[in-house]
Amino acid sequence: MKRLLIGALSSILAITCVAGCNRGSGTPLPQQASNSASNTTQTAKPAFGNPAPGAKNPAAKKTLQAFRSEAELKAYLHQIAEKEKHRIRAQYSISAGVVGAAPKAAPAPPPTAGVNSSVTLADKVETATTESVTNVQHAGVDEGAIVKVHGDHLVVLRRGRLFTVAIGDGALTPISNIDAFAPDIDPSGTWYDEMLVSEDTIAVIGYSYDRGGTEVGLFGIDPAGRLTYRSTYHLRSDDYYSSRNYASRLIGSKLIFYSPLYFYPGEGDPFRHFPAVRKWHKGATEAEFKRIVAATQVYRPPHAIDSSDGMALHTVTVCDLAHGGFDCKATSVIGPEGEVFYVSPKSVYVWLTEWMPQGEQERAQSMVYRLPLDGSAPTAVRVSGSPVDQFSLLESEDGYLNVLVRSEGRGDWMWRGEHTDGDVALLRLALTSFSDGTDAAPFSSYRKLPKVDGDSFQNRFVGDYLLYGSGSGWGYPQTTRHPKLYAVRWAGGGVHELSLTHGVDRIEQMGSDAVVVGTDGTDLHFTAVRLGQWPELADEYVRKGASQGELRSQGFFYKPDGPDSGMLGLPISIPARPGYKHLFENSAAILFLKNDSLRFQEMGELAANPEGAKDDGCRASCVDWYGNARPLFVRGRIIALLGYELVEGKLDAGGRMSETRRVSYAPVRLNAANE
């Protein structure tokens, strides 16, 4: 659980390697070639891919098969349970005869769910056009965040509360605040980490360990910025938190969740753990959960799954927030536990990897599922390896899914992505290859890429290129020997090796080019990368004695003001601060750099006023899981969100930043303590 992981995080990261520790006994994939890079296309045989003789693109479109009835689904789960019982008995007989070992315990059954209702996946959604202050992976696919814009107001989620601040007509005035949970809920076992805004509805997304699932609080915001509580809903799910990804997306008025539900198929009621929704009220019971996925919306895996390590319903839920509503529909696929999920403007992708013992080693079996947002049936392809995180995937406009995969990848749940183990390849898979999951991506779909040394693996698709490297991540700033950035044209072309003076902790798009941010162990570096006919390093800016103040992708923002110019902002902190400290400490400042044709000029910074340990009466989410600092470029203004402060700046005639005003939007208790 996240609260336990966070409680142990400081000591764990201080004692052990937060990234780069070998985690398992996974075997390299077949046909591994030498690890090399150059400015030409790799000619070695691809390292990844399942050489299944039946791999092909079918002429007739095939999809995954849904169960036809509750009875058929129940019979399927019963069959799996019986196989598992036989396996456990056989394992016990062998081990008991040798060492008297006890059988492996079955997974604990999950809490009860409710009754049945039949639904389908969400209708096709439309792209939002509201001014964004969120650094998102895809334009038009908004991500849950800690700050949004609604009309003439900023909306901020911090430490279990919602706040609004007026920004119309040049204002910067706190207006309203409210608890980010229902008045009759005990929030102590819940994390309220992100929010999204649709019309006059604010959806606060949390995870409740006490109430057993995703908690969605709906709040109203009027034109004056006043906040009102409306309602709370619980969606049955298990903990989906990631050290890199976000729990929710918004396209138009459609709120999109991915969530796994782990289960043991042999329990008494196989349906009590299925996805369900309950509207909260004081005294709400488990029996009030209403199922939102019928058997006919549950899709069977195309191959047998070893359930000894547990199984999961991997569920994509779409809830319509139009006109203040909360109408939810869901689709589920049955699979193993491991996962990475990615949302494109057209589809949700879920990548599952099942690790199975093979003698003293382990072998992986992977499948990528595609769940279209237009309501059509899911499809799948057998694949090799696993992505690092959501930034490892790109659904490109030419009809392909492009994925960086690693042979030792285990998904991005809770720091699993913070490693550099395993061989690396680029999978380029035509969307027409997706069918019923019986076909495998052929060898020709994979390109072997150079491996990287170092700790935390970073990757990003920018323009026509895939960029990747390694840095310090959640650990202490490290000096990387011969740090490299690799740049690959994902549609075909050479693999380019670019030598850096620092590690790679952040890769961001900057217009049609990129910026790479990382540490050399002492200083913070920003390197501009030109992504033209071939990639090349341009300017480098070094901030002496600094470290990143935020690790999350949304901590960065680039605001273009022309095709080759713009301004970026990034929170910074004291030198040598380990990455995980952003959960517990505020950033020192937000640094602003001007980009002019890939030449950097420091504009200055907007600094925080340290708040110390003053009491804000926090009752929930008292650790800043998504950080607490953001650069905001809105209405032609430059504003730094730094904890409970909003600091506005402007550029003088010489292009230097100066502070113009500072306001606190903190709750009354903290403001009173400051007087």
Side-chain angles (χ1 to χ4, degrees), residues 84-124:
E84 178 64 7
K85 289 177 183 177
H86 287 301
R87 189 197 65 80
I88 291 176
R89 280 197 294 267
Q91 180 182 356
Y92 175 68
S93 298
I94 295 172
S95 59
V98 178
V99 294
K104 182 178 178 180
T112 54
V115 297
N116 181 29
S117 64
S118 179
V119 294
T120 60
L121 192 62
D123 296 332
K124 188 172 183 180

Short mmCIF file of all heavy atoms in Angstrom, two decimals, residues 84-124:
data_model
loop_
_atom_site.label_atom_id
_atom_site.label_comp_id
_atom_site.label_asym_id
_atom_site.label_seq_id
_atom_site.Cartn_x
_atom_site.Cartn_y
_atom_site.Cartn_z
N GLU A 84 -5.71 -24.94 -10.53
CA GLU A 84 -4.81 -24.42 -9.51
C GLU A 84 -4.79 -25.33 -8.29
O GLU A 84 -3.73 -25.56 -7.69
CB GLU A 84 -5.24 -23.00 -9.12
CG GLU A 84 -4.41 -22.37 -8.00
CD GLU A 84 -2.95 -22.16 -8.39
OE1 GLU A 84 -2.59 -22.38 -9.54
OE2 GLU A 84 -2.17 -21.79 -7.49
N LYS A 85 -5.93 -25.89 -7.92
CA LYS A 85 -5.98 -26.82 -6.79
C LYS A 85 -5.12 -28.05 -7.07
O LYS A 85 -4.37 -28.52 -6.21
CB LYS A 85 -7.42 -27.23 -6.51
CG LYS A 85 -8.29 -26.14 -5.92
CD LYS A 85 -9.72 -26.62 -5.75
CE LYS A 85 -10.62 -25.50 -5.23
NZ LYS A 85 -12.04 -25.93 -5.13
N HIS A 86 -5.22 -28.58 -8.29
CA HIS A 86 -4.41 -29.74 -8.66
C HIS A 86 -2.92 -29.40 -8.62
O HIS A 86 -2.10 -30.19 -8.17
CB HIS A 86 -4.80 -30.24 -10.05
CG HIS A 86 -6.12 -30.94 -10.10
ND1 HIS A 86 -6.41 -32.07 -9.36
CD2 HIS A 86 -7.26 -30.67 -10.80
CE1 HIS A 86 -7.64 -32.47 -9.59
NE2 HIS A 86 -8.20 -31.62 -10.46
N ARG A 87 -2.59 -28.19 -9.10
CA ARG A 87 -1.18 -27.78 -9.09
C ARG A 87 -0.65 -27.67 -7.67
O ARG A 87 0.46 -28.11 -7.37
CB ARG A 87 -1.02 -26.43 -9.82
CG ARG A 87 0.44 -26.01 -10.05
CD ARG A 87 0.54 -24.53 -10.38
NE ARG A 87 0.12 -23.72 -9.25
CZ ARG A 87 0.90 -23.45 -8.20
NH1 ARG A 87 2.13 -23.95 -8.13
NH2 ARG A 87 0.46 -22.70 -7.21
N ILE A 88 -1.45 -27.09 -6.77
CA ILE A 88 -1.02 -26.93 -5.38
C ILE A 88 -0.86 -28.29 -4.72
O ILE A 88 0.11 -28.54 -3.99
CB ILE A 88 -2.02 -26.05 -4.61
CG1 ILE A 88 -1.95 -24.60 -5.11
CG2 ILE A 88 -1.75 -26.11 -3.11
CD1 ILE A 88 -2.96 -23.68 -4.48
N ARG A 89 -1.83 -29.21 -4.98
CA ARG A 89 -1.72 -30.54 -4.38
C ARG A 89 -0.49 -31.26 -4.88
O ARG A 89 0.23 -31.91 -4.11
CB ARG A 89 -2.98 -31.35 -4.70
CG ARG A 89 -4.17 -31.01 -3.82
CD ARG A 89 -5.23 -32.09 -3.88
NE ARG A 89 -5.85 -32.19 -5.20
CZ ARG A 89 -6.96 -31.55 -5.55
NH1 ARG A 89 -7.59 -30.78 -4.65
NH2 ARG A 89 -7.46 -31.70 -6.75
N ALA A 90 -0.21 -31.15 -6.19
CA ALA A 90 0.97 -31.79 -6.75
C ALA A 90 2.25 -31.20 -6.17
O ALA A 90 3.19 -31.91 -5.82
CB ALA A 90 0.97 -31.66 -8.27
N GLN A 91 2.27 -29.87 -6.05
CA GLN A 91 3.44 -29.20 -5.48
C GLN A 91 3.64 -29.61 -4.03
O GLN A 91 4.76 -29.86 -3.58
CB GLN A 91 3.27 -27.69 -5.58
CG GLN A 91 4.44 -26.89 -5.00
CD GLN A 91 4.20 -25.39 -5.09
OE1 GLN A 91 3.20 -24.94 -5.64
NE2 GLN A 91 5.11 -24.62 -4.56
N TYR A 92 2.55 -29.75 -3.29
CA TYR A 92 2.63 -30.13 -1.88
C TYR A 92 3.13 -31.56 -1.74
O TYR A 92 3.96 -31.86 -0.89
CB TYR A 92 1.27 -30.00 -1.23
CG TYR A 92 1.24 -30.51 0.20
CD1 TYR A 92 1.93 -29.84 1.20
CD2 TYR A 92 0.54 -31.67 0.53
CE1 TYR A 92 1.92 -30.30 2.50
CE2 TYR A 92 0.53 -32.15 1.82
CZ TYR A 92 1.21 -31.46 2.81
OH TYR A 92 1.21 -31.93 4.09
N SER A 93 2.65 -32.45 -2.62
CA SER A 93 3.06 -33.85 -2.55
C SER A 93 4.55 -33.99 -2.78
O SER A 93 5.24 -34.74 -2.08
CB SER A 93 2.29 -34.67 -3.60
OG SER A 93 0.91 -34.63 -3.34
N ILE A 94 5.06 -33.24 -3.77
CA ILE A 94 6.49 -33.31 -4.06
C ILE A 94 7.31 -32.72 -2.93
O ILE A 94 8.26 -33.32 -2.42
CB ILE A 94 6.80 -32.59 -5.38
CG1 ILE A 94 6.13 -33.32 -6.55
CG2 ILE A 94 8.31 -32.49 -5.60
CD1 ILE A 94 6.22 -32.58 -7.86
N SER A 95 6.93 -31.53 -2.48
CA SER A 95 7.71 -30.85 -1.44
C SER A 95 7.60 -31.57 -0.11
O SER A 95 8.56 -31.64 0.65
CB SER A 95 7.26 -29.40 -1.30
OG SER A 95 5.89 -29.34 -0.96
N ALA A 96 6.42 -32.13 0.20
CA ALA A 96 6.25 -32.84 1.46
C ALA A 96 7.11 -34.09 1.49
O ALA A 96 7.67 -34.46 2.53
CB ALA A 96 4.78 -33.20 1.66
N GLY A 97 7.26 -34.76 0.34
CA GLY A 97 8.07 -35.97 0.28
C GLY A 97 9.54 -35.68 0.43
O GLY A 97 10.32 -36.54 0.82
N VAL A 98 9.95 -34.44 0.11
CA VAL A 98 11.37 -34.09 0.16
C VAL A 98 11.73 -33.38 1.46
O VAL A 98 12.64 -33.78 2.18
CB VAL A 98 11.75 -33.20 -1.04
CG1 VAL A 98 13.20 -32.79 -0.97
CG2 VAL A 98 11.44 -33.94 -2.33
N VAL A 99 11.00 -32.32 1.78
CA VAL A 99 11.36 -31.52 2.96
C VAL A 99 10.17 -31.25 3.87
O VAL A 99 10.29 -30.51 4.83
CB VAL A 99 11.97 -30.16 2.52
CG1 VAL A 99 13.29 -30.37 1.82
CG2 VAL A 99 10.99 -29.41 1.62
N GLY A 100 9.01 -31.83 3.56
CA GLY A 100 7.85 -31.60 4.40
C GLY A 100 7.32 -30.19 4.32
O GLY A 100 6.79 -29.65 5.29
N ALA A 101 7.46 -29.55 3.13
CA ALA A 101 7.04 -28.16 2.99
C ALA A 101 5.53 -28.06 2.91
O ALA A 101 4.84 -28.97 2.46
CB ALA A 101 7.66 -27.56 1.73
N ALA A 102 5.00 -26.91 3.34
CA ALA A 102 3.56 -26.65 3.25
C ALA A 102 3.23 -26.08 1.89
O ALA A 102 4.08 -25.48 1.22
CB ALA A 102 3.15 -25.67 4.34
N PRO A 103 2.00 -26.27 1.42
CA PRO A 103 1.62 -25.71 0.12
C PRO A 103 1.57 -24.20 0.17
O PRO A 103 1.36 -23.61 1.22
CB PRO A 103 0.22 -26.31 -0.12
CG PRO A 103 -0.31 -26.58 1.25
CD PRO A 103 0.89 -26.98 2.07
N LYS A 104 1.74 -23.61 -1.00
CA LYS A 104 1.66 -22.16 -1.11
C LYS A 104 0.25 -21.68 -0.81
O LYS A 104 -0.72 -22.23 -1.31
CB LYS A 104 2.06 -21.73 -2.53
CG LYS A 104 2.05 -20.22 -2.73
CD LYS A 104 2.49 -19.89 -4.13
CE LYS A 104 2.45 -18.39 -4.37
NZ LYS A 104 2.90 -18.05 -5.73
N ALA A 105 0.15 -20.67 0.03
CA ALA A 105 -1.18 -20.16 0.39
C ALA A 105 -1.81 -19.44 -0.78
O ALA A 105 -1.14 -18.76 -1.55
CB ALA A 105 -1.07 -19.21 1.58
N ALA A 106 -3.12 -19.61 -0.91
CA ALA A 106 -3.86 -18.90 -1.95
C ALA A 106 -3.97 -17.44 -1.60
O ALA A 106 -3.97 -17.07 -0.42
CB ALA A 106 -5.25 -19.51 -2.10
N PRO A 107 -4.05 -16.56 -2.59
CA PRO A 107 -4.24 -15.13 -2.30
C PRO A 107 -5.50 -14.88 -1.50
O PRO A 107 -6.50 -15.56 -1.66
CB PRO A 107 -4.34 -14.51 -3.70
CG PRO A 107 -3.71 -15.50 -4.63
CD PRO A 107 -3.98 -16.84 -4.02
N ALA A 108 -5.45 -13.90 -0.61
CA ALA A 108 -6.62 -13.57 0.20
C ALA A 108 -7.72 -13.02 -0.68
O ALA A 108 -7.47 -12.22 -1.57
CB ALA A 108 -6.24 -12.54 1.27
N PRO A 109 -8.97 -13.45 -0.46
CA PRO A 109 -10.08 -12.93 -1.27
C PRO A 109 -10.29 -11.46 -1.02
O PRO A 109 -10.11 -10.98 0.10
CB PRO A 109 -11.28 -13.77 -0.81
CG PRO A 109 -10.93 -14.25 0.55
CD PRO A 109 -9.44 -14.43 0.55
N PRO A 110 -10.68 -10.71 -2.04
CA PRO A 110 -10.89 -9.26 -1.90
C PRO A 110 -12.22 -8.97 -1.24
O PRO A 110 -13.04 -9.86 -1.04
CB PRO A 110 -10.87 -8.78 -3.35
CG PRO A 110 -11.34 -9.96 -4.13
CD PRO A 110 -10.86 -11.18 -3.41
N PRO A 111 -12.51 -7.70 -0.92
CA PRO A 111 -13.79 -7.33 -0.33
C PRO A 111 -14.93 -7.61 -1.30
O PRO A 111 -14.74 -7.74 -2.50
CB PRO A 111 -13.65 -5.82 -0.07
CG PRO A 111 -12.19 -5.56 -0.08
CD PRO A 111 -11.60 -6.57 -1.00
N THR A 112 -16.13 -7.67 -0.77
CA THR A 112 -17.30 -7.98 -1.59
C THR A 112 -17.67 -6.82 -2.50
O THR A 112 -17.43 -5.67 -2.22
CB THR A 112 -18.50 -8.29 -0.70
OG1 THR A 112 -18.69 -7.21 0.20
CG2 THR A 112 -18.29 -9.57 0.06
N ALA A 113 -18.28 -7.17 -3.64
CA ALA A 113 -18.83 -6.18 -4.56
C ALA A 113 -20.34 -6.38 -4.60
O ALA A 113 -20.91 -6.96 -3.70
CB ALA A 113 -18.20 -6.33 -5.94
N GLY A 114 -20.99 -5.92 -5.66
CA GLY A 114 -22.44 -5.90 -5.63
C GLY A 114 -23.11 -6.65 -6.75
O GLY A 114 -22.68 -7.72 -7.14
N VAL A 115 -24.17 -6.09 -7.27
CA VAL A 115 -25.05 -6.77 -8.21
C VAL A 115 -24.70 -6.41 -9.64
O VAL A 115 -23.81 -5.62 -9.90
CB VAL A 115 -26.52 -6.42 -7.91
CG1 VAL A 115 -26.89 -6.90 -6.53
CG2 VAL A 115 -26.75 -4.92 -8.01
N ASN A 116 -25.45 -6.97 -10.56
CA ASN A 116 -25.07 -6.92 -11.96
C ASN A 116 -25.79 -5.83 -12.74
O ASN A 116 -26.94 -5.52 -12.48
CB ASN A 116 -25.38 -8.29 -12.59
CG ASN A 116 -25.01 -8.34 -14.04
OD1 ASN A 116 -24.09 -7.64 -14.45
ND2 ASN A 116 -25.69 -9.15 -14.80
N SER A 117 -25.08 -5.23 -13.69
CA SER A 117 -25.71 -4.36 -14.68
C SER A 117 -24.92 -4.48 -15.96
O SER A 117 -23.72 -4.69 -15.93
CB SER A 117 -25.73 -2.90 -14.21
OG SER A 117 -24.43 -2.42 -14.07
N SER A 118 -25.55 -4.36 -17.10
CA SER A 118 -24.89 -4.57 -18.39
C SER A 118 -24.56 -3.23 -19.02
O SER A 118 -25.42 -2.37 -19.15
CB SER A 118 -25.80 -5.37 -19.31
OG SER A 118 -25.18 -5.55 -20.56
N VAL A 119 -23.28 -3.04 -19.43
CA VAL A 119 -22.85 -1.79 -20.03
C VAL A 119 -21.84 -2.07 -21.14
O VAL A 119 -21.38 -3.18 -21.32
CB VAL A 119 -22.19 -0.87 -18.98
CG1 VAL A 119 -23.18 -0.42 -17.94
CG2 VAL A 119 -21.03 -1.58 -18.31
N THR A 120 -21.48 -1.05 -21.88
CA THR A 120 -20.44 -1.14 -22.90
C THR A 120 -19.40 -0.06 -22.65
O THR A 120 -19.58 0.80 -21.79
CB THR A 120 -21.03 -0.97 -24.31
OG1 THR A 120 -21.64 0.32 -24.39
CG2 THR A 120 -22.05 -2.05 -24.60
N LEU A 121 -18.32 -0.09 -23.41
CA LEU A 121 -17.27 0.93 -23.28
C LEU A 121 -17.81 2.29 -23.71
O LEU A 121 -18.81 2.40 -24.39
CB LEU A 121 -16.06 0.54 -24.13
CG LEU A 121 -14.78 1.33 -23.91
CD1 LEU A 121 -14.29 1.16 -22.49
CD2 LEU A 121 -13.71 0.84 -24.87
N ALA A 122 -17.12 3.33 -23.31
CA ALA A 122 -17.60 4.69 -23.57
C ALA A 122 -17.68 5.01 -25.06
O ALA A 122 -17.00 4.43 -25.88
CB ALA A 122 -16.66 5.68 -22.91
N ASP A 123 -18.59 5.96 -25.37
CA ASP A 123 -18.68 6.46 -26.73
C ASP A 123 -17.43 7.26 -27.07
O ASP A 123 -16.66 7.64 -26.20
CB ASP A 123 -19.90 7.38 -26.87
CG ASP A 123 -21.20 6.62 -26.64
OD1 ASP A 123 -21.21 5.41 -26.91
OD2 ASP A 123 -22.17 7.25 -26.19
N LYS A 124 -17.25 7.50 -28.36
CA LYS A 124 -16.10 8.29 -28.80
C LYS A 124 -16.16 9.67 -28.19
O LYS A 124 -17.21 10.29 -28.12
CB LYS A 124 -16.08 8.39 -30.33
CG LYS A 124 -14.81 9.03 -30.87
CD LYS A 124 -14.76 8.93 -32.36
CE LYS A 124 -13.46 9.52 -32.89
NZ LYS A 124 -13.38 9.43 -34.35
#
